[in-house]
Each structure stands twice: as C-alpha cells, then as structure tokens.
Amino acid sequence: MSFLTALINGISLGSVYAIIALGYTMVYGIAKMLNFAHGDVIMVGGYLCFCTVQYLGLPTLAGVILAVVGCTALGIVVEGLAYKPLRQAPSLAVLITAIGVSYFLQNSALLIWGADPKAFPSAVSFPSVKLFDGQLIINSITIVTVLAAVLVMVALTLFTSRTKMGKAMRACSEDKGAAQLMGINVDRTISMVFAIGSGLAAIAGVLLCSAYPTLTPTTGSMPGIKAFTAAVFGGIGSIPGAALGGVLLGIIEIMAKTYISTQLSDAIVFGVLIIVLLIKPAGLLGKLVPEKV
Amino acid sequence: MSMLEVNDLHVYYGSIHAVKGVSFTVDKGEIVTLIGANGAGKSTTLNTIAGILPARRGSVEFQGEGILGVPAHKMVRKGIALCPEGRRVFTQMTVEENLQMGGYTRTDAENADTVEDVYGHFPRLRERAYQVAGTLSGGEQQMLAMGRALMGRPDLIMLDEPSMGLAPILVDEIFSIIKSLNDNGTTVLLVEQNASMALSIADRAYVLETGRIVKEGSGSDLLRDDDVRRAYLGG
Ligand SMILES: Nc1ncnc2c1ncn2[C@@H]1O[C@H](COP(=O)(O)OP(=O)(O)OP(=O)(O)O)[C@@H](O)[C@H]1O
Ligand SMILES: [Mg+2]
C-alpha cells in the first residue's frame, strides 16, 4: 500500500510541477527566455489567496479567482516593464533581469507580509477518499490537484491547436518576423503568453500551499526550479513535454523520498535529469524540427 | 498617382548604408521588378516598405498614404503583403494552418473563400493541406509562402526571390502563377536574381547596384539592354 500512496503523492506533486512547467515552457517557447521569476509568481498567488480568505473573510474560491486575476496582471506588467524593453538585448541580459525580478518579488513579499510563515487555509473542504478498508487514503486536495492539471493540459492543448490566438502563439514561437508579416501583433501575443503562464502559476500556488500549508516569501523558489527542470526534462518548448516532465519529476521525487532518502531526494531528481539529457539532449518529447532549404 | 511611391529612401544597418536614395513607383495592375546582384539592397528595400526595417530618410506612400513608421503587423490591413526571402513558412504547422495564419486579419468566412482561390492557383497545396509544412519540398514551400501572403487579399504583393533554389521547371511554374495572379488584379513588386525570367514578365523594371537605382525601363527594353545583358543575363 505504501507504494501506491507514494505513487499517488508523486502524481499529485508532479501535477503541480506540470502546471508550473507549462507556464515556463510556453514563455520559453515564445520569448526564448528562462523566466526565473516564474516561481515567485506562485508565491504571490499563494499570498493573494491567503489574504483574500484570511483578511477579507471571503470563501476560498474567491481567493483562487483573485490570485489568478492578480498574477495574470502581474505577469503582463512584469513582461511590459522588465522584459519587453530587452527584446533585442542579448539573452544573458534578459536572464539577469529575470533573476532581478525574482528577487524583487521575494523582497516585496518580505516587506508586505514579513518573513514569518503563514498557515495557509486549505483550498478544498470536502473529505478525503478512503480505499481498501481505509488502508489507502487519498486527500481531497490530491484529487483536486490532479484534476486541475488534467484540465489545464486539455485546455492548453485545445487552445494551441484549435484557436486562432493559439495558432498565432505557435507561429510567433517559430518565427516572429514571419508572424508579423501575417498581421500578428507579436508584442501583444508575447504579453498574452506571460498572462496565461502567470495565471497558471497562481493556480499552482494555491494548490501547492494547500498541500504544503506554509507560506513564506521564498515558497516559490524551489518549486520554480523543479518545474523548470521538469520543462527541460520533458523538452523545453513542448507543452505535452512539460506535463509529462512535471508528473515524472514528482513521482521520482516522492519515490526517492520514500525509498531512498529524504535528504538525497533532490540530488536524485537532478541526477535523473542529467542522465535523461545525456541520452536525449532535447528532453523526452523535445523534437529536432525537420527543415528543408 | 501611383499605387506605391518610394522616394529617396535611405536605409542603414548600423553604420552600413545599404539603400542610398532609392526612388521608384509601382502602378496599380503592374508587375514591377527590382533586379540586381547579391547585396544590392533589394531585400532591404522590400523589408523597409513592409515595416520590418526603419528608414533613415525618404518616404514611402501607398495608395496616397505615408506608410514609413507603420509597424509591420499593420501592413496586411493596409493591403500590402510581403512574401519574404527564404520563404519562412511555419515549418511546425500544417499547410492549412499556415494559410490560416496568412488570413489572420480576416474573418473565418472570408478566409474560407480565399483559401479556395489559393488552392485554385496552387492545387498541390490542397493535396497537402494536413501535411506539416517542414516536410514540403522547396517548391511546395514557395507555393505555400505565396499562398499564405495571398490569404490577406493584398492589393500589392511583394515577392522576394520566389525562384531561389528551385529547379527550372518549377521556376517556370512559379512565374506563370505570378503572371496569373497579376491577371486576376493583384499588383506585383518582384525582386529576383533570375533577371531574364523577371524581365520577361515585368511591365517595368529597375536595376539596383550597391544601394542605388542605376537603370530603369520596360521589361522588354532592359532585356535587350547591353549593360543589363552583360551584367545579369550572362552576355
Ligand atoms: N542584418 C544586416 N546587418 C548588416 N548588414 C546587412 C544586413 N542585412 C543586409 N546587410 C547588408 O546590406 C546590403 C544589402 O543587402 P540585401 O539583403 O538588401 O541585398 P539583396 O539585394 O537582397 O541581396 P541578395 O540577392 O543576396 O538577397 C548588403 O551589403 C548586406 O551585406
Ligand atoms: Mg535579398
């Protein structure tokens, strides 16, 4: 039974990674930048939800909505102020800026909410599911998390494959110059992707804080790095890759914690990543594009 | 009044003066070609008209309206399409999706009509509608790039080296399609290295050398011109 429990916990944690990694990978796909501040948007989402519930006394759902709206706006503002002016700049400058934004968000949170961990109220209140005479308990938050990840994945797949906006996003990801010749406003499309990614980060923040209910200004850092790893693992730029990478990473992490060592689990996770990249440099689902001249 | 009037256009790449005071016109219904050697400034001129590159000096008027400084993504709505050098199709998208992107500024209903016209000109694209563009042959990619540009229903289509890298038989096919597009009312500004082909279908032509126009005339006159023959037609 403990294996099954570990597997379920792994899938649950992996689902959160997947949601974060989807944002990472979409932003990378279109802006060709690693948005290191992505993890900190998770933290902002957590605090926004926390404040809505704790100080305004509104139901959790209102907190989730506020977190999503707030982080979406934050994503657009950060992109417009910090990254857009650097569109032509070398990628190292953009990377350093992203690290700067990350610290800016963490320090702002420190200033506003302080360093003390906040006890996060659970976002879901229905009871857990008991199977096999109570030997296997599945938390309600686990169920909600997995469902949310599946829903996000399906929605994004439909968005990018069916809608005009989604296709425009793919066009920009591949060739911005050609995309603007089509009449696509590339700047607005990039901004939209940041908005989507940040909205997803907010959802991930609420789910993460519900499962691990302490909230500090650095809450988003480690999950952010893990999700980035998951995106690379699955093949950066690939949407199914991010989802697969996230889930696998979560499973590996929990399995390593359960069966090997809690202290070593992160080292094992990154060890697996290195091995995968040695065998498949483009990641699990990353593809080398066929090109004809 | 001409459809397109380019006047004393100067374009720089940093300190490199690539286009040095180019002036020319394109009238409605014409095929006009710019010919010239590698590096003469042909692509630079087209890209500047399309809003991709900024001009240092000069003016570009399209249907009576100054368009220098208008961002590239607004040009389709103004009626100008550029089919860029090297085709630049979206290799990871299907033929149909590429065409849909070409019609990005138009409604689905309008696109449904236009796509039939495009398939009419390029029947091979219809057969490959669901194929990923990256797996098309070079000639098919060129057809797709042209079809995609036509999806915006441009008044003026600018073609940058449509025959580049194609087998002679495909070159003939592409040029006859350009002619038929023009017969259907689209004005064409054509940039070519294949000067003899370009001159033979062009109403008028300009010869560009290191950023300056050095000669102009009707297509047939330039085909007979000794300098042009020596420099661009191999004797
Ligand atoms: N991105 C760039 N940066 C610097 N110089 C450039 C750039 N693009 C073009 N040039 C220079 O500007 C000049 C004109 O180039 P352009 O591409 O317009 O020539 P072209 O006539 O289209 O040539 P080709 O027939 O080879 O396509 C050339 O001297 C070229 O080296
Ligand atoms: Mg050129």
Side-chain angles (χ1 to χ4, degrees):
Chain A
M1 233 16 84
S2 81
F3 175 78
L4 221 50
T5 309
L7 184 65
I8 288 166
N9 287 339
I11 292 173
S12 171
L13 180 63
S15 297
V16 177
Y17 290 158
I19 296 175
I20 308 169
L22 284 167
Y24 243 119
T25 227
M26 283 170 73
V27 164
Y28 178 83
I30 195 162
K32 302 291 178 270
M33 67 165 289
L34 296 173
N35 180 18
F36 269 108
H38 192 64
D40 301 293
V41 180
I42 302 169
M43 171 272 298
V44 173
Y47 275 110
L48 286 178
C49 183
F50 171 80
C51 289
T52 318
V53 176
Q54 199 75 7
Y55 302 136
L56 303 178
L58 293 171
T60 319
L61 189 64
V64 176
I65 292 170
L66 212 86
V68 170
V69 172
C71 286
T72 303
L74 179 68
I76 294 172
V77 170
V78 163
E79 195 275 327
L81 289 182
Y83 303 144
K84 194 172 175 178
L86 299 177
R87 203 72 27 97
Q88 312 300 332
S91 53
L92 207 55
V94 185
L95 188 67
I96 292 168
T97 306
I99 295 172
V101 170
S102 168
Y103 278 110
F104 177 81
L105 293 179
Q106 286 183 21
N107 287 316
S108 304
L110 198 61
L111 199 69
I112 300 170
W113 292 294
D116 295 338
K118 300 269 188 281
F120 194 85
S122 179
V124 282
S125 44
F126 57 84
S128 32
V129 177
K130 292 193 174 67
L131 296 173
F132 308 112
D133 295 330
Q135 288 186 65
L136 182 66
I137 299 171
I138 306 177
N139 284 327
S140 50
I141 185 67
T142 302
I143 297 169
V144 172
T145 302
V146 175
L147 281 181
V150 171
L151 209 72
V152 164
M153 181 65 208
V154 170
L156 278 185
T157 306
L158 289 178
F159 173 71
T160 53
S161 65
R162 299 284 165 81
T163 69
K164 206 166 170 178
M165 285 276 266
K167 288 177 192 177
M169 186 192 100
R170 281 160 59 209
C172 290
S173 298
E174 194 179 325
D175 187 338
K176 290 185 188 56
Q180 61 179 347
L181 291 178
M182 308 294 105
I184 297 169
N185 185 336
V186 174
D187 278 335
R188 239 191 24 221
T189 310
I190 293 178
S191 176
M192 174 195 77
V193 171
F194 268 86
I196 294 175
S198 305
L200 293 181
I203 295 175
V206 173
L207 293 170
L208 191 74
C209 294
S210 300
Y212 304 89
T214 48
L215 184 54
T216 69
T218 54
T219 289
S221 303
M222 205 53 192
I225 291 173
K226 294 272 181 59
F228 164 59
T229 310
V232 175
F233 192 43
I236 189 109
S238 153
I239 286 178
L244 179 69
V247 173
L248 285 181
L249 203 80
I251 295 174
I252 295 169
E253 181 178 335
I254 298 286
M255 289 296 171
K257 271 190 179 135
T258 312
Y259 293 107
I260 305 173
S261 148
T262 311
Q263 281 83 21
L264 277 180
S265 68
D266 286 346
I268 292 167
V269 165
F270 287 98
V272 172
L273 171 79
I274 292 168
I275 293 168
V276 167
L277 291 185
L278 282 176
I279 300 166
K280 288 204 74 175
L284 292 174
L285 301 183
K287 56 188 164 193
L288 300 167
V289 189
E291 234 169 302
K292 284 228 173 88
V293 236
Chain B
M1 187 188 66
S2 297
M3 176 179 251
L4 181 74
E5 291 191 24
V6 176
N7 210 335
D8 192 29
L9 191 68
H10 290 261
V11 187
Y12 289 73
Y13 294 100
S15 61
I16 300 170
H17 197 175
V19 170
K20 305 165 184 164
V22 162
S23 304
F24 65 93
T25 60
V26 180
D27 289 332
K28 193 170 163 48
E30 277 189 313
I31 298 181
V32 171
T33 184
L34 303 180
I35 59 171
N38 289 113
K42 306 179 298 292
S43 298
T44 305
T45 303
L46 290 197
N47 290 342
T48 307
I49 297 170
I52 296 172
L53 293 172
R56 185 77 61 90
R57 218 167 74 211
S59 71
V60 177
E61 286 194 9
F62 180 69
Q63 297 181 332
E65 181 191 356
I67 56 165
L68 273 188
V70 173
H73 69 266
K74 295 201 171 138
M75 288 300 176
V76 183
R77 284 197 181 80
K78 295 207 177 290
I80 302 181
L82 169 64
C83 184
E85 186 174 85
R87 296 151 200 157
R88 309 273 289 268
V89 297
F90 301 115
T91 54
Q92 288 161 277
M93 302 173 91
T94 64
V95 167
E96 195 188 40
E97 286 173 331
N98 267 276
L99 294 177
Q100 197 185 0
M101 288 298 102
Y104 183 77
T105 56
R106 304 171 67 82
T107 67
D108 288 350
E110 289 170 325
N111 283 337
D113 282 347
T114 316
V115 88
E116 284 308 312
D117 289 353
V118 169
Y119 285 150
H121 285 293
F122 307 99
R124 243 187 280 184
L125 293 183
R126 190 200 298 275
E127 296 161 23
R128 289 172 167 65
Y130 303 110
Q131 190 172 327
V132 172
T135 62
L136 296 176
S137 75
E140 290 159 355
Q141 288 195 4
Q142 182 59 48
M143 293 178 188
L144 178 56
M146 287 169 64
R148 189 180 65 173
L150 289 172
M151 287 298 294
R153 288 237 172 252
D155 302 310
L156 170 70
I157 186 168
M158 302 192 287
L159 301 167
D160 196 344
E161 304 210 22
S163 77
M164 189 167 53
L166 300 186
I169 181 148
L170 269 173
V171 175
D172 289 348
E173 192 176 342
I174 293 284
F175 273 93
S176 77
I177 292 168
I178 295 172
K179 197 87 189 79
S180 76
L181 289 178
N182 181 246
D183 291 340
N184 287 351
T186 310
T187 307
V188 178
L189 176 56
L190 173 66
V191 156
E192 261 300 338
Q193 296 242 0
N194 189 335
S196 62
M197 276 300 235
L199 291 175
S200 64
I201 66 162
D203 297 301
R204 290 185 306 111
Y206 296 84
V207 179
L208 211 57
E209 251 171 41
T210 56
R212 288 197 178 84
I213 286 175
V214 294
K215 209 172 254 289
E216 61 177 280
S218 72
S220 46
D221 283 351
L222 288 190
L223 263 180
R224 286 190 299 269
D225 185 282
D226 283 341
D227 294 341
V228 172
R229 294 185 71 87
R230 209 172 309 119
Y232 304 106
L233 304 173

